[in-house]
Amino acid sequence: MPNIEIKRLCVTYQNKKKEVLALAELSTSFVDKSFNVIVGQSGCGKTTLLRCIAGMIDYEGHIYFDDIDSMSISPQHKNIAFVSQQYVLYPTMTIFDNIAFPLKNAKLPPKDIIKHVYDVADIFNLTDLLTRKPKQLSGGQQQRVAIARALVKNPSICLLDEPLSNIDAPERSRERQIIKESLTKSGSTIIYVTHDMREAMVLADNLIVMDEGQIIACGKPLEVYESNNPQVNALFKAME
């Protein structure tokens, strides 16, 4: 799956009469076969960066997938899955049918759909829940279903925007490790966004710290935490 290289990325928004710089000459990289986590306070540009990578908003600068400018790749060939904190499932469908939905839309043969659904359900510990409806599942289980649905088509890149933020703390602690292990098995290039410093430290193989539209630190979590970077220390203290 692709390495992702970001070079001099800029995004501006018009807010009433004021122009807001959401990303300011941002450059970084996201490594294949590594759990990449972006952490920062609300409004720092985390979601904007994800949406740029997904091709959902305009930007200045460059985003490369394995040295190929993403602007030159058609949307259907980017093969990106985007999972938000709002895990919208179809309430009248079983968990099997929720996960199978994109495959049915793609008109895959029924036997292929069954195989793909059971394969991804096994990865996310959902096999015993496939006949249930969403209301019969916990919040964490529903979020796993939403991620499984995104991954069932084997995306090259999986972008997750604070997927556990609507789940209560005890369940969130249980779910984060399941999700990390499951996503790692998927083989996708993973970028996970959170404003929770503890969650970032637990999940990240590669930690990217953002503040005011810029990268202020990146590297292995413990190295970043112990770097004595005053900006990082102040940000982590603010997020405690």
Side-chain angles (χ1 to χ4, degrees):
M1 298 299 169
N3 292 310
I4 301 172
E5 188 77 21
I6 312 290
K7 292 189 176 180
R8 301 176 67 85
L9 205 65
C10 291
V11 174
T12 55
Y13 292 120
Q14 195 67 35
N15 183 8
K16 296 181 180 179
K17 296 181 180 180
K18 182 181 177 183
E19 193 173 72
V20 177
L21 186 61
L23 297 179
E25 296 281 329
L26 184 148
S27 296
T28 192
S29 59
F30 301 99
V31 186
D32 180 24
K33 298 178 182 177
S34 181
F35 204 100
N36 301 279
V37 177
I38 306 171
V39 65
Q41 296 190 87
S42 297
C44 73
K46 305 184 301 295
T47 297
T48 300
L49 177 54
L50 279 198
R51 290 169 65 84
C52 288
I53 295 169
M56 297 166 69
I57 58 175
D58 293 330
Y59 58 84
E60 296 179 5
H62 298 279
I63 300 174
Y64 295 98
F65 300 157
D66 281 343
D67 300 323
I68 300 172
D69 195 317
S70 68
M71 285 288 196
S72 68
I73 306 172
S74 62
Q76 62 267 32
H77 289 121
K78 287 181 180 177
N79 195 19
I80 295 173
F82 191 102
V83 181
S84 73
Q85 57 187 284
Q86 304 297 332
Y87 42 91
V88 180
L89 303 177
Y90 299 104
T92 60
M93 290 184 182
T94 65
I95 299 309
F96 179 97
D97 288 332
N98 267 280
I99 297 173
F101 189 79
L103 301 180
K104 291 179 178 179
N105 274 353
K107 302 188 185 305
L108 264 66
K111 67 177 183 179
D112 291 343
I113 291 175
I114 292 170
K115 181 182 185 309
H116 286 310
V117 170
Y118 271 89
D119 284 349
V120 78
D122 181 60
I123 289 172
F124 283 91
N125 296 332
L126 295 168
T127 305
D128 294 338
L129 306 176
L130 290 175
T131 59
R132 298 188 189 182
K133 299 287 182 65
K135 67 181 180 181
Q136 297 174 291
L137 273 57
S138 69
Q141 289 170 330
Q142 289 185 51
Q143 187 59 287
R144 271 190 273 151
V145 173
I147 298 171
R149 182 176 59 191
L151 291 180
V152 76
K153 291 181 70 175
N154 297 316
S156 300
I157 298 166
C158 185
L159 309 175
L160 300 107
D161 188 11
E162 305 206 41
L164 298 178
S165 62
N166 289 336
I167 299 169
D168 61 65
E171 187 177 8
R172 186 163 65 242
S173 179
R174 292 191 299 270
E175 291 294 329
R176 64 169 61 121
Q177 199 57 41
I178 294 173
I179 286 175
K180 177 171 182 177
E181 291 172 1
S182 303
L183 285 170
T184 302
K185 292 177 185 175
S186 75
S188 301
T189 299
I190 301 156
I191 306 176
Y192 184 106
V193 156
T194 181
H195 66 272
D196 186 325
M197 181 264 289
R198 293 179 181 84
E199 182 169 271
M201 294 295 293
V202 168
L203 290 176
D205 299 319
N206 180 43
L207 181 65
I208 297 96
V209 185
M210 286 189 65
D211 191 33
E212 296 185 351
Q214 295 182 320
I215 304 291
I216 61 172
C218 62
K220 294 186 181 301
L222 196 57
E223 291 174 358
V224 171
Y225 188 76
E226 295 179 345
S227 65
N228 291 321
N229 181 320
Q231 284 182 282
V232 173
N233 291 344
L235 184 60
F236 279 4
K237 187 174 181 180
M239 291 189 292
E240 287 179 351

